[in-house]
Amino acid sequence: MMPRLWVLLLIIVCLVSLSLRWVSARHYGQDWFSSGGFTLVNFDEGGSCRAQLGSFPYSTFVGKQTIALASFFGHSPPSSLQTGESLQSGTDEATSGSPGVRSVDAQARRYCHGEAHLQVARGLSAWAGAATVLLTALITLQLLPGRHGTALTAAAMLSLSGWHISESMVGTVDAVSCFFIYAFFSGSLLALHRGRRYWWLVPPLLLAAIWTKYWVFALLASPAFLPTHLLMRMLGGISLARLFFIAVVFTATAAVATNSGTPETLKLLCPFALYLTIPWARLGLAHRLLWLAIPFVILIALQIPLFEAYSTGSLTGRFGTDYGAIGSHKYVRNLLNLPLVLLIGLGIPGFLAMGWGGFQLLRERSIDHYWLPLLPLLGFALYMASLAPVTYYRHYLPLLPAACIAAAVGLHSLPERVRSTAIVLCLFWQSALGWDLASDYHLDPRRQLPALLAREQPSTLLSSFYVNPPANGVYTRRLLRIPPDPQPLLDAYPNAIFVLSENWYDTAFANELNGPVVDDVERLIKTQPMAVDFYRRAIDGSYPGLARVATLTAPTLMPELALHKAFYGSFTQFVGDLQVFRVSP
C-alpha cells in the first residue's frame, strides 16, 4: 500500500513536470518577429509527420498520432498528399529528387512545420515527458520495493532536468520515444512481478518502443522472460560478470572493425580478440561452436547496408563529409559524449550521486533477475560509447531516467545527518541548471536580430542555414554559399550584413558530432575543407572583407553549460550564437 502523502507528492511532481514542458511548448517561437507571429526554429520537428506524408523515409509511428490529433482539432493535411505512398514505396521516383517528390516534400514541410500541427506535436512531447517522470517513479518502486523516497527523488530529478525539459517542449520524436521505452520497461517489470496474466502488455509496448524511433535495443530485454535455468544453460556456465566483460570487449572490437579508418587486415583480426575473453574450458562442444561463430556472424551482419549505416556511416553526403568520415576520432568523441550528456542532464551533484548510487547497488546486490528488462539500456550505452556514428545529444535521452534512478539511490544511501541537505542541494542545483538550459530556447539569439538589423540598415542580408532571419521589405535576403575566394563576395554585396549561425559553422569546430579532436579537416562531419577554412577565418577575424559587427548569444550561468560552451560550443541544438559581419573592402 502506497503512503497517501507519497502519492500526493508524486502527483505534485508530475504536475510541475507537465507545466514546465507544456507552457514552454505552447510559447516556443511565438511573437518572435511580430505580434501573433510564429517562427519555426528547430527544423528537426515534425520529422515523423513528414515521413507519414511521404516526404522521406523515417518511422511514421509518432507522425500517425500527431496527424490524427491535429485532424481531430480541424487541421488535416492537404488532400493532395497521398499519405505514405511517395517515399515509403521504395520506387526510383521516390529517391530520384524528381519535381513530383520535391512537391510532396514542400507540401509536407508546410503542413508538418506549420503552427497548428507543431502545437499538437509539441503537446504530445510535453505529455509524454511528464508521463516519463511518473514511469521513473513507478519503475524505481518495482526495482526497489518500499523505497518511496528514492522513487520520489528520481522523479523530481527528471522533472527538473533542463535537458529533458528541452526535449519535451519540441515536436521531435525523442521525448515520446523515451516514454514508450520506459512504458515497455514498466510493463515488463509488472509482468515479471505479477505473473503471466500481465504478459499481454509486453508485445504492444515492445512494438511501440521499437517503432517510435527504430530503437531495436528493446529486444535485448528478452532474456528477462526466459526461465532462469534455461538462461543459464544457454550461457553455458558463463557468469553474468564475465558476460558483461565479453560484451564490453565485443563492442570495443566491433567499433574497431566497423571504423572507416581501420585497415582491412586489422578488421579480420578483430574476432580473435573476443576469443581471448571466452572461458573455453568450462564450455561444452555445442557452446564452443556457438561462441566460435558469433563474432564472424555479427561482423558479417554489420556489412549489410542497414546495419552499416548504424555502425560505420557514410563517408560522403550532401554537405561534403558524412558521419563515417570521423574515423578513429570517433573513439574519443563517443567516450566523451556519454558522460557529458549525463553531467548536463543531472548537474554536477546529481552526476556524482549517480556514480555513488551505482556503486551502492552493486555492493548491496540489489540487482537481480528483475533488473533484466533494463538490459537494453546497457546495450544502448555500450553502443553509444563505441559504435554509434551519429551522436546528436538528443539520441542519448533514454539513458537519463535510469541515471536519475541511480542518482536517487546514491542520495538516499548517504548518512542520515547529511541526506536531506544533499537532496535539497541536488534538486536546487538541478532547478537552476534546468532554468539556464531551457531558457536558451526562449532567449534565442535570433530574437535580437530585428533590433540589430534596424540599427545597421543593410540593403542585403546574407545568412547561413539555421539563421532563419525575419522578413523585411527594406533588405533582400539571400542564403550565402561558401565562396572559393573573397573577391566575388566583396564585389557582389558591398556593405551587406552577413549572419553566420553557430548551428552551421560548428562543423569546423569541436562539438558533439566532431568530438574534441579537430586537427584533421578530412575527419570533420558534414563539411568540406574550403568551408572549414572559411568558418575558422571568419570567426577569428582573418577573412578578407568581413568586419565583425556583433556576437549575439544566449546567457549562460551554470558552470556545466559555461564549460561546455567554452570547449564544445552551445549544448542546445538549434540554439547557438550568431556571428554578425559587415561585408566591406
Side-chain angles (χ1 to χ4, degrees):
M1 187 71 179
M2 293 184 184
R4 292 182 179 180
L5 178 60
W6 182 85
V7 173
L8 177 61
L9 290 175
L10 181 61
I11 291 173
I12 293 173
V13 168
C14 291
L15 290 176
V16 170
S17 174
L18 178 61
S19 64
L20 290 173
R21 290 152 177 78
W22 178 261
V23 173
S24 291
R26 292 287 297 172
H27 292 92
Y28 180 39
Q30 297 284 355
D31 302 321
W32 269 31
F33 301 137
S34 63
S35 179
F38 175 77
T39 304
L40 174 68
V41 183
N42 187 334
F43 292 85
D44 280 354
E45 293 188 275
S48 186
C49 167
R50 289 173 54 207
Q52 174 64 11
L53 297 179
S55 180
F56 73 109
Y58 188 67
S59 173
T60 60
F61 186 60
V62 173
K64 293 177 184 293
Q65 299 169 54
T66 57
I67 291 173
L69 288 170
S71 299
F72 176 79
F73 290 111
H75 303 291
S76 301
S79 57
S80 57
L81 287 174
Q82 298 298 315
T83 302
E85 290 183 2
S86 273
L87 288 179
Q88 317 265 340
S89 62
T91 62
D92 291 338
E93 180 187 8
T95 57
S96 65
S98 65
V101 173
R102 288 196 297 270
S103 175
V104 167
D105 183 46
Q107 293 180 69
R109 284 179 182 272
R110 279 195 295 272
Y111 173 76
C112 298
H113 287 168
E115 181 180 2
H117 173 264
L118 280 186
Q119 288 288 1
V120 170
R122 291 173 178 178
L124 181 62
S125 288
W127 279 94
T132 307
V133 172
L134 174 62
L135 288 174
T136 300
L138 297 179
I139 288 172
T140 306
L141 283 182
Q142 289 171 298
L143 295 172
L144 303 168
R147 302 194 189 183
H148 295 88
T150 303
L152 188 65
T153 301
M157 291 190 68
L158 184 63
S159 174
L160 298 172
S161 173
W163 180 29
H164 194 262
I165 292 171
S166 63
E167 297 298 343
S168 302
M169 57 180 274
V170 294
T172 64
V173 303
D174 299 282
V176 183
S177 174
C178 189
F179 162 73
F180 280 117
I181 289 168
Y182 278 82
F184 167 65
F185 292 159
S186 184
S188 298
L189 288 167
L190 182 64
L192 290 174
H193 280 95
R194 298 295 180 89
R196 294 183 181 275
R197 66 182 182 276
Y198 288 96
W199 280 35
W200 65 270
L201 287 170
V202 177
L205 290 174
L206 173 64
L207 177 63
I210 294 176
W211 191 7
T212 306
K213 202 180 178 182
Y214 302 138
W215 207 75
V216 295
F217 297 93
L219 294 171
L220 295 177
S222 54
F225 299 96
L226 297 175
T228 304
H229 68 278
L230 178 60
L231 182 60
M232 297 311 296
R233 282 187 60 189
M234 291 176 63
L235 294 178
I238 298 178
S239 67
L240 292 179
R242 175 61 73 94
L243 192 64
F244 174 72
F245 175 65
I246 293 172
V248 171
V249 173
F250 174 74
T251 53
T253 54
V256 174
T258 58
N259 195 290
S260 61
T262 303
E264 292 299 322
T265 52
L266 181 58
K267 291 182 180 182
L268 294 176
L269 297 175
C270 285
F272 297 99
L274 181 65
Y275 293 153
L276 299 176
T277 67
I278 308 298
W280 299 103
R282 298 156 116 195
L283 302 179
L285 178 60
H287 285 98
R288 290 180 185 181
L289 294 174
L290 178 65
W291 282 104
L292 279 170
I294 283 176
F296 286 99
V297 170
I298 295 181
L299 289 176
I300 290 172
L302 289 175
Q303 307 307 311
I304 299 172
L306 175 63
F307 296 120
E308 186 180 28
Y310 288 93
S311 58
T312 303
S314 301
L315 293 176
T316 58
R318 59 180 294 204
F319 301 115
T321 55
D322 208 45
Y323 301 112
I326 191 171
S328 59
H329 294 178
K330 179 169 74 171
Y331 307 135
V332 180
R333 177 199 66 180
N334 288 24
L335 287 173
L336 176 63
N337 281 4
L338 184 59
L340 198 57
V341 292
L342 295 179
L343 175 66
I344 293 183
L346 295 170
I348 294 173
F351 185 79
L352 296 175
M354 177 193 69
W356 178 246
F359 174 74
Q360 290 297 315
L361 287 171
L362 292 173
R363 194 179 73 166
E364 66 182 44
R365 302 187 182 276
S366 297
I367 298 178
D368 54 19
H369 180 80
Y370 290 111
W371 288 71
L372 287 179
L374 270 62
L375 271 178
L377 294 177
L378 175 60
F380 181 61
L382 290 175
Y383 168 77
M384 294 304 294
S386 57
L387 279 97
V390 186
T391 51
Y392 290 112
Y393 284 155
R394 56 193 173 87
H395 294 172
Y396 296 84
L397 193 64
L399 298 173
L400 184 60
C404 289
I405 294 174
V409 170
L411 289 170
H412 284 267
S413 299
L414 295 173
E416 190 172 351
R417 65 180 183 277
V418 298
R419 184 184 306 158
S420 298
T421 302
I423 292 173
V424 171
L425 171 64
C426 192
L427 293 179
F428 175 79
W429 191 287
Q430 185 79 316
S431 301
L433 181 59
W435 177 86
D436 194 3
L437 181 56
S439 67
D440 284 354
Y441 285 83
H442 302 288
L443 302 175
D444 192 299
R446 283 166 285 198
R447 302 193 69 171
Q448 304 173 46
L449 277 177
L452 183 142
L453 295 174
R455 183 175 72 247
E456 296 295 329
Q457 293 289 312
S459 58
T460 303
L461 177 64
L462 305 172
S463 65
S464 71
F465 284 106
Y466 300 132
V467 172
N468 200 17
N472 191 311
V474 176
Y475 51 77
T476 303
R477 296 189 299 173
R478 294 186 183 278
L479 185 67
L480 179 69
R481 303 293 181 179
I482 304 302
D485 73 79
Q487 197 57 46
L489 175 67
L490 303 179
D491 294 341
Y493 305 109
N495 296 316
I497 289 293
F498 171 42
V499 184
L500 183 58
S501 170
E502 181 185 358
N503 309 110
W504 198 245
Y505 74 70
D506 68 354
T507 55
F509 299 94
N511 65 11
E512 72 266 34
L513 289 180
N514 288 333
V517 183
V518 292
D519 56 304
D520 185 353
V521 296
E522 301 290 342
R523 296 298 184 191
L524 303 182
I525 304 299
K526 289 194 170 185
T527 192
Q528 305 173 54
M530 182 180 68
V532 171
D533 178 69
F534 174 77
Y535 295 142
R536 290 181 176 178
R537 294 175 67 191
I539 298 303
D540 69 19
S542 64
Y543 193 84
L546 289 183
R548 191 189 309 273
V549 173
T551 298
L552 307 181
T553 66
T556 299
L557 301 176
M558 298 299 289
E560 298 93 337
L561 295 177
L563 289 171
H564 189 285
K565 191 175 185 65
F567 296 103
Y568 230 40
S570 297
F571 179 85
T572 308
Q573 191 184 12
F574 289 111
V575 181
D577 295 348
L578 294 180
Q579 303 287 343
V580 185
F581 306 90
R582 182 171 290 279
V583 180
S584 59

